[in-house]
Amino acid sequence: MAEERAPENPEGDEPIKQRKNGLYPAVSDELAELMKSGWADTELRDLQPIAQARYAAEHRAALSARFPGERLVIPAGNLKTRSNDTEYSFRASSEYVHLTGDQTEDAVLVLEPVEGGHTATAYLLPRSNRENGEFWLDGQGELWVGRRHSLAEGERRLGIPTRDVRKAAEELAAASPAATRIVRGYDSALEQTLAGVLDAERDEELKAFLSELRLVKDEWEIGELQRAVDSTVRGFEDVVKVLDKAEATSERYIEGTFFLRARVEGNDVGYGSICAAGPHATTLHWVRNDGPVRSGDLLLLDAGVETTSLYTADVTRTLPVSGAYTDLQRKIYDAVYEAQEAGIAAVRPGAKYRDFHDAAQRVLAGKLVEWGIVEGPVERVLELNLQRRWTLHGTGHMLGLDVHDCAQARTETYVDGTLEPGMVLTVEPGLYFQADDLMVPEEYRGIGVRIEDDILVTEDGSRNLSAALPRRSDEVETWMRELRG
């Protein structure tokens, strides 16, 4: 048997080392030579810039203006091991995607300071090397995981000069001295390389600015969010049509049904789908989805399709599994609907971000006092936040590349800020009566209701991007009846 080939330079023509897994014999010299030749030229020479390219350039220009004279490093992130030799599906960092439109692993965007601004370079993985066998011997070689774009193709697609990312650390270390910032948490090796010139506080400033840069969406982003919402609406319709099958199996049937829509029309789900039937609806992030689906119970479905550009919807409906609400279910549902109506009405340019939360909470606090669950008056309840035992969470959040978008933004620009046209946020009040809550009547226990829609702030008010999905209880029942025939 030929000696296993073992060298070491993955960037050059030295042969790479084959993994020792006991399943395959060592590579013979003859096989290694055979695998080098006889391959067609597959370079794509007529690629056009991706739709996001010109908007990403505007985002980079805003970043450049904020940090003149500084080197800025924004990594996409690396693959993460799921188990043994398998990896999780890769999802590039939102900061990197927003600034490039690229979604490839290991990539890095570098903004190098020059007079009058910055030059941008996208460091990417090039095509797999055929001379050293990388493309078929390495577990991430193209023969195993699929073709990558060449650096020239990447440049045409992104509208940014590109370089081999395997040289990024060396080139950054050798670059002329400059104040340097990096988005931390995505590429530990690169952080280690730059450790001597980095400052944690300055890096946090960079991350906060990039979060705030996404607060107001451009026209392309709004279009992507509408696409995500439209697919999500179709996913909810899919679920309603198969509720009988879910009753025969579990919440996982609902999860799988919605996931199929997300994968067919988008990249993935934007977050773990919450398919919470019966008392599971009172658990805010119920993603186990392994419980029964029973007629007579409510199904709280909180799910969103993530588009191929990685923008996500975030929509919730609380549906009667049987197709009709009981009197008590309707009473609670209608209270949440009234609160959501008040919240949506408060979304408009110039309003404080907190206004829609306060409006919704006031309605819910009033209902809890009216029902005798908490002692009034309402102002006392709100002052002490007593309603939070049953409302639990904030009434919404920004939406975009992340389901909880702009999360690193400063408090003064986000939750203490003012709404502007182009912002997209959720309005999602809820009431949750835990199964073991002795402070509520027994018949309330185990009922959870949330209604959530994705709202765009416009020049003169707001627009509900998810308005195609019925919200009012009677409309929900009619919609379900029509879908189920």
Side-chain angles (χ1 to χ4, degrees):
M1 182 177 290
E3 182 180 354
E4 188 171 85
R5 302 174 64 82
E8 289 240 330
N9 179 3
E11 301 171 26
D13 294 339
E14 292 282 345
I16 71 167
K17 186 175 182 179
Q18 183 186 19
R19 289 184 178 179
K20 290 184 177 180
N21 54 20
L23 299 178
Y24 300 102
V27 176
S28 67
D29 291 337
E30 290 79 3
L31 176 58
E33 286 300 314
L34 179 65
M35 293 299 288
K36 287 182 182 181
S37 60
W39 305 103
D41 178 7
T42 60
E43 182 75 7
L44 305 174
R45 295 178 174 82
D46 58 351
L47 285 176
Q48 298 299 311
I50 59 175
Q52 195 174 351
R54 74 179 183 92
Y55 299 98
E58 293 173 0
H59 304 158
R60 292 194 300 274
L63 175 61
S64 174
R66 172 62 180 81
F67 298 104
E70 302 188 43
R71 181 175 294 118
L72 308 172
V73 182
I74 300 92
N78 316 122
L79 292 171
K80 290 182 171 58
T81 300
R82 181 180 186 273
S83 176
N84 191 25
D85 58 352
T86 62
E87 292 83 20
Y88 287 103
S89 296
F90 178 74
R91 204 282 196 181
S93 74
S94 294
E95 294 89 347
Y96 176 79
V97 173
H98 192 240
L99 295 168
T100 66
D102 181 49
Q103 299 180 28
T104 56
E105 69 267 19
D106 299 330
V108 183
L109 173 68
V110 176
L111 268 61
E112 190 69 25
V114 295
E115 184 176 352
H118 289 81
T119 60
T121 301
Y123 283 86
L124 309 173
L125 279 171
R127 297 291 307 279
S128 289
N129 191 318
R130 293 178 186 266
E131 285 298 309
N132 70 2
E134 175 199 350
F135 87 106
W136 69 287
L137 290 175
D138 187 279
Q140 291 301 316
E142 290 179 298
L143 200 63
W144 292 99
V145 299
R147 186 187 188 277
R148 298 195 289 259
H149 284 293
S150 70
L151 295 182
E153 291 169 357
E155 186 165 329
R156 288 193 288 273
R157 292 179 69 248
L158 305 179
I160 312 172
T162 60
R163 292 186 62 77
D164 187 338
V165 72
R166 293 172 297 189
K167 299 177 181 177
E170 175 188 346
E171 292 183 1
L172 284 169
S176 58
T180 302
R181 299 177 191 248
I182 190 172
V183 179
R184 299 193 183 216
Y186 298 120
D187 195 320
S188 59
L190 200 54
E191 289 175 32
Q192 185 62 37
T193 297
L194 298 172
V197 295
L198 296 178
D199 175 81
E201 186 174 336
R202 288 162 48 79
D203 292 345
E204 283 302 309
E205 288 176 351
L206 172 61
K207 194 157 191 173
F209 176 79
L210 291 175
S211 230
E212 292 167 15
L213 188 59
R214 303 205 305 272
L215 282 168
V216 176
K217 271 60 180 179
D218 58 43
E219 59 181 352
W220 184 85
E221 292 179 289
I222 292 169
E224 290 301 289
L225 285 167
Q226 186 66 70
R227 283 183 54 216
V229 168
D230 292 345
S231 289
T232 298
V233 169
R234 290 187 284 273
F236 274 68
E237 291 171 348
D238 296 339
V239 167
V240 169
K241 292 175 183 177
V242 300
L243 279 178
D244 57 333
K245 294 182 175 64
E247 287 188 64
T249 52
S250 76
E251 297 161 337
R252 297 246 167 126
Y253 202 96
I254 294 166
E255 179 183 0
T257 298
F258 188 86
F259 181 69
L260 176 61
R261 177 66 65 174
R263 287 294 278 168
V264 167
E265 295 192 359
N267 176 62
D268 206 328
V269 290
Y271 53 96
S273 298
I274 298 167
C275 308
H280 290 162
T282 66
T283 300
L284 295 185
H285 289 165
W286 177 261
V287 293
R288 299 179 202 170
N289 299 332
D290 59 359
V293 179
R294 300 188 179 98
S295 183
D297 282 346
L298 295 176
L299 166 68
L300 191 156
L301 177 58
D302 184 336
V305 171
E306 178 186 78
T307 64
T308 53
S309 61
L310 305 187
Y311 286 80
T312 186
D314 182 9
V315 177
T316 306
R317 290 294 183 269
T318 305
L319 310 173
V321 175
S322 68
Y325 297 99
T326 67
D327 289 344
L328 179 59
Q329 289 169 351
R330 188 185 305 276
K331 172 183 169 180
I332 297 170
Y333 184 96
D334 288 350
V336 175
Y337 173 78
E338 185 179 330
Q340 194 200 28
E341 283 282 272
I344 292 174
V347 175
R348 58 184 179 274
K352 294 179 180 178
Y353 174 81
R354 295 181 186 270
D355 285 354
F356 75 94
H357 169 76
D358 293 342
Q361 291 289 300
R362 177 171 293 277
V363 172
L364 295 178
K367 295 296 181 181
L368 292 168
V369 171
E370 176 187 331
W371 299 339
I373 291 174
V374 65
E375 182 181 350
V378 171
E379 292 300 334
R380 167 185 169 273
V381 174
L382 291 170
E383 181 182 357
L384 299 175
N385 266 328
L386 302 181
Q387 82 284 357
R388 290 294 293 273
R389 177 179 172 113
W390 300 280
T391 65
L392 297 180
H393 54 78
T395 306
H397 51 80
M398 292 296 178
L399 186 67
L401 278 167
D402 290 325
V403 64
H404 298 141
D405 208 29
C406 315
Q408 304 303 315
R410 294 168 297 167
T411 299
E412 58 266 32
T413 60
Y414 187 168
V415 295
D416 285 343
T418 300
L419 296 180
E420 300 177 37
M423 290 181 171
V424 179
L425 56 129
T426 68
V427 179
E428 51 174 311
L431 280 173
Y432 311 91
F433 300 107
Q434 305 301 318
D436 59 351
D437 188 349
L438 301 181
M439 292 188 68
V440 301
E442 185 175 358
E443 61 270 22
Y444 284 61
R445 298 173 196 166
I447 295 178
V449 173
R450 179 163 67 252
I451 312 171
E452 177 181 20
D453 286 88
D454 301 341
I455 310 298
L456 167 67
V457 183
T458 62
E459 295 290 343
D460 57 358
S462 68
R463 175 160 61 91
N464 186 348
L465 300 180
S466 45
L469 206 57
R471 291 187 298 128
R472 215 174 60 204
S473 57
D474 60 332
E475 293 175 342
V476 169
E477 291 174 329
T478 300
W479 170 72
M480 293 183 67
R481 186 165 57 249
E482 291 173 349
L483 285 173
R484 300 170 84 173

